[in-house]
Amino acid sequence: MHIIMASPECAPVAKIGGLGDFVQGLSRELAVRGNQVEVVVPKYDCMRFDRIRDMHKVFTDLSVPFYDRYIHCDVEYGEADGIKCFFIDSHSEHGFFNRGKIYGDADDPDRFAFFSRALMEFLYKSGRRPDIIHCNDWHTGLVAVLLYEVYAGLGMDRTRACYSLHNMGHQGWTGTHVLHMNRLDAGRLMTSERLQDPGNPHAVNLMKGGIVFSNFVTTVSPRYAWEIQHTDQGMGLQGVLKTHDHKFGGVLNGIDYSTWNPEIDPLIPHNYGPGSLMQKALDKASLRQRVGLTEEFKPLVAVVSRLDRQKGVELIRHGLYYALEQGCQFVLLGSAPDAAVNADFWRIKHEMDTSPDCHLELGYDEELAHLIYAGADLILIPSIYEPCGLTQMIAMKYGCIPVARRVGGLADTVFDANYSDRPFEERNGYVFDDATYAGVESALGRAIGLWKRFPEYYRQLRVNGMRMDNSWNRPCQHYLDIYNHVRVID
Ligand code: ADP
């Protein structure tokens, strides 16, 4: 099958969170199974160019319709960790992808609406007629709309669209100008069955467009699929998802074990597996050295997260103080897009400046993230909502036990050491239900108690997590089944 992966992110070159990992992991697994997979992302000025091999221009003079004129784009090609990637470079006076960041500007809907059009124009002009275009999140919702409103009529009538929802908190709410920008018929599309936002009749909802126009819609865990149809986690799109129930389902994400595996990870000083956990203690020492914590007989609790309200920032902050009170060490790696949250964590960082037991690293650091998973004993994930969550799966692979709120994909992957009804070999962490300080303390307290009093049982819990199969193997097959289900077969 020929599959185009349309996305605003692809790890490791352009990654903000789990979406980048998803595109990398699924694309790699699909390619390993003999499919022709091509990822298309914007060419951001802030990409990790050092992770792209052999980058060169493959298409010049791509004229992309933009209101009543055209914007000139080039397309470059390169391999990102073995994955075939096309990068769309726009030469517009708006500098759409030259902002020093991937997201976070007021005109984000315009930037990605333009990217969607440029991507479709590139496929069309370069003669590509893929079986599947797999679109991701609101940024590429318009790709499915453009496929059926414009390009099917130009000969791309055998291509089908699959659409994955990674986070309902961001839906690409915008005005009808994005439709005019793309020369789409606003009168036809601004209806309650199509792109009109359910909460605001004057707003275009790009994610809704992707849902309505795609042939199949997935989200990243079965539990989140249920939550967004039946609770306010759907953030206004519950009704739309119910209407399209016949083509909607949850597929649990995998993680890419060629990137996330302590047995072969080149970014950690000591490799180890379930049978050589002593080596993990050496990584703990390296982590302590790297972030300036003292060497003491204490459990090391970690957080690796975007510091977004979705991630339960108040609960993270409380967990930090609680863990220190309980005689633990604590390391946090996080980046906060919100100024107030950022200021709050900087305040804590200064407060902890001289602490031998606590370190906060505020920013994004791929290499340090690997060392933290390898060196820490526990990872705290108190999310308010969590579509899938990769952090807990990565942590488990590194023998770092998750303490997580039972929500979304966390509920599908973390099984409580004490209360789960699963057999012991499948229990792998600690969970809590209430998004409260008491909730965090109940689960974190039990985990810390186990580390201190029952080291052998703690070791077994680590091994249970390390032995879980959260690879892309199963989910990739699931996606292939979906592609085959919607594909036009002669
Ligand atoms: P989300 O996509 O909501 O951010 P996920 O748990 O699905 O959350 O994915 C998070 C991914 O981003 C993981 O690979 C995690 O290691 C990584 N990550 C999060 N914050 C940072 C950071 N500050 N530095 C490095 N990696 C990070």
Side-chain angles (χ1 to χ4, degrees):
M1 246 185 281
H2 182 188
I3 301 148
I4 297 290
M5 199 62 77
S7 172
E9 294 182 39
C10 178
V13 293
K15 167 176 162 181
I16 296 292
L19 170 56
D21 292 308
F22 171 92
V23 171
Q24 178 192 37
L26 178 58
S27 301
R28 180 174 285 151
E29 185 68 26
L30 287 166
V32 164
R33 295 175 185 221
N35 298 288
Q36 183 191 349
V37 186
E38 295 170 320
V39 177
V40 187
V41 288
K43 184 185 167 197
Y44 303 104
D45 56 353
C46 56
M47 288 194 313
R48 292 276 309 252
F49 286 92
D50 60 316
R51 303 295 292 267
I52 308 171
R53 233 186 58 196
D54 207 14
M55 191 156 175
H56 60 280
K57 247 177 219 167
V58 287
F59 210 94
T60 49
D61 294 333
L62 184 70
S63 296
V64 180
F66 184 76
Y67 294 104
D68 55 359
R69 60 191 182 97
Y70 291 87
I71 286 181
H72 172 229
C73 294
D74 292 324
V75 183
E76 301 196 28
Y77 171 83
E79 282 195 11
D81 274 7
I83 295 166
K84 295 178 173 162
C85 282
F86 291 95
F87 302 94
I88 304 228
D89 190 10
S90 104
H91 301 294
S92 102
E93 69 276 22
H94 306 282
F96 280 138
F97 310 128
N98 298 325
R99 305 283 178 88
K101 59 186 171 191
I102 293 181
Y103 309 128
D105 279 337
D107 66 345
D108 279 1
D110 301 28
R111 298 168 63 217
F112 292 102
F114 176 76
F115 169 65
S116 300
R117 182 72 192 221
L119 178 149
M120 285 308 297
E121 200 62 19
F122 164 58
L123 299 184
Y124 174 63
K125 294 262 175 62
S126 64
R128 282 179 169 70
R129 300 293 179 264
D131 297 292
I132 300 291
I133 306 178
H134 191 147
C135 311
N136 293 282
D137 263 356
W138 69 262
H139 316 83
T140 52
L142 213 51
V143 168
V145 180
L146 286 161
L147 173 64
Y148 281 103
E149 290 289 295
V150 180
Y151 293 90
L154 298 174
M156 293 182 70
D157 53 333
R158 298 172 68 81
T159 297
R160 293 291 174 262
C162 175
Y163 186 45
S164 291
L165 309 173
H166 298 263
N167 191 337
M168 303 301 288
H170 307 274
Q171 299 181 4
W173 297 280
T174 183
T176 48
H177 68 281
V178 298
L179 304 178
H180 301 303
M181 173 203 288
N182 276 295
R183 301 186 191 168
L184 288 164
D185 182 347
R188 214 179 99 68
L189 292 173
M190 273 304 274
T191 66
S192 58
E193 297 82 41
R194 299 196 177 97
L195 271 67
Q196 194 176 57
D197 184 62
N200 176 359
H202 305 293
V204 167
N205 184 315
L206 294 174
M207 181 176 267
K208 183 179 169 191
I211 295 170
V212 171
F213 278 83
S214 293
N215 301 92
F216 205 92
V217 182
T218 69
T219 189
V220 289
S221 70
R223 171 76 168 240
Y224 192 58
W226 184 88
E227 288 172 351
I228 64 180
Q229 273 194 319
H230 298 100
T231 75
D232 58 10
Q233 294 296 338
M235 314 239 177
L237 290 184
Q238 297 92 309
V240 177
L241 289 169
K242 281 198 192 126
T243 305
H244 294 270
D245 186 48
H246 60 283
K247 57 166 193 181
F248 173 61
V251 180
L252 188 66
N253 277 350
I255 54 171
D256 185 349
Y257 285 144
S258 57
T259 305
W260 299 110
N261 180 356
E263 290 177 272
I264 52 167
D265 189 340
L267 296 177
I268 60 176
H270 305 278
N271 292 115
Y272 61 91
S276 51
L277 269 170
M278 285 309 290
Q279 299 289 103
K280 185 172 165 68
L282 302 178
D283 286 325
K284 185 171 178 178
S286 303
L287 172 59
R288 281 174 161 154
Q289 210 172 24
R290 159 77 173 76
V291 299
L293 303 184
T294 49
E295 191 60 49
E296 273 191 81
F297 185 70
K298 290 182 172 179
L300 182 44
V301 183
V303 165
V304 177
S305 182
R306 290 184 297 114
L307 295 172
D308 188 293
R309 298 199 184 276
Q310 170 203 341
K311 301 292 181 182
V313 279
E314 282 82 13
L315 301 180
I316 290 176
R317 191 180 47 209
H318 183 73
L320 178 152
Y321 288 114
Y322 176 75
L324 293 176
E325 245 173 61
Q326 298 299 309
C328 301
Q329 293 186 321
F330 199 96
V331 55
L332 176 143
L333 170 62
S335 50
D338 180 283
V341 176
N342 191 38
D344 190 31
F345 277 88
W346 270 101
R347 184 189 57 70
I348 302 172
K349 182 177 167 65
H350 290 315
E351 180 188 325
M352 296 293 165
D353 249 357
T354 53
S355 167
D357 288 325
C358 184
H359 178 83
L360 281 74
E361 188 94 4
L362 299 176
Y364 185 89
D365 188 332
E366 190 77 28
E367 284 75 14
L368 179 58
H370 283 250
L371 184 58
I372 291 177
Y373 291 122
D377 298 299
L378 287 166
I379 192 147
L380 177 63
I381 315 171
S383 303
I384 304 303
Y385 72 92
E386 191 60 76
C388 177
L390 300 180
T391 317
Q392 78 282 13
M393 296 198 234
I394 299 170
M396 287 192 280
K397 184 70 182 169
Y398 284 72
C400 172
I401 291 177
V403 175
R405 186 153 173 261
R406 184 156 51 186
V407 66
L410 294 169
D412 286 330
T413 51
V414 184
F415 309 117
D416 194 275
N418 304 126
Y419 301 125
S420 170
D421 52 11
R422 295 192 167 235
F424 174 71
E425 321 77 73
E426 291 179 25
R427 299 186 192 181
N428 53 23
Y430 288 89
V431 300
F432 62 99
D433 287 303
D434 296 338
T436 57
Y437 293 168
V440 171
E441 289 181 17
S442 72
L444 194 51
R446 285 185 293 130
I448 294 167
L450 187 79
W451 188 94
K452 289 185 176 166
R453 287 191 288 279
F454 301 100
E456 176 49 25
Y457 186 75
Y458 197 90
R459 191 193 65 78
Q460 286 175 20
L461 211 57
R462 286 193 207 267
V463 170
N464 289 353
M466 296 175 89
R467 294 226 163 104
M468 278 182 84
D469 179 9
N470 283 316
S471 69
W472 270 104
N473 192 20
R474 229 171 324 176
C476 179
Q477 188 53 51
H478 207 135
Y479 277 108
L480 282 169
D481 293 344
I482 291 169
Y483 298 161
N484 274 316
H485 172 67
V486 298
R487 181 155 78 118
V488 180
I489 302 174
D490 290 317

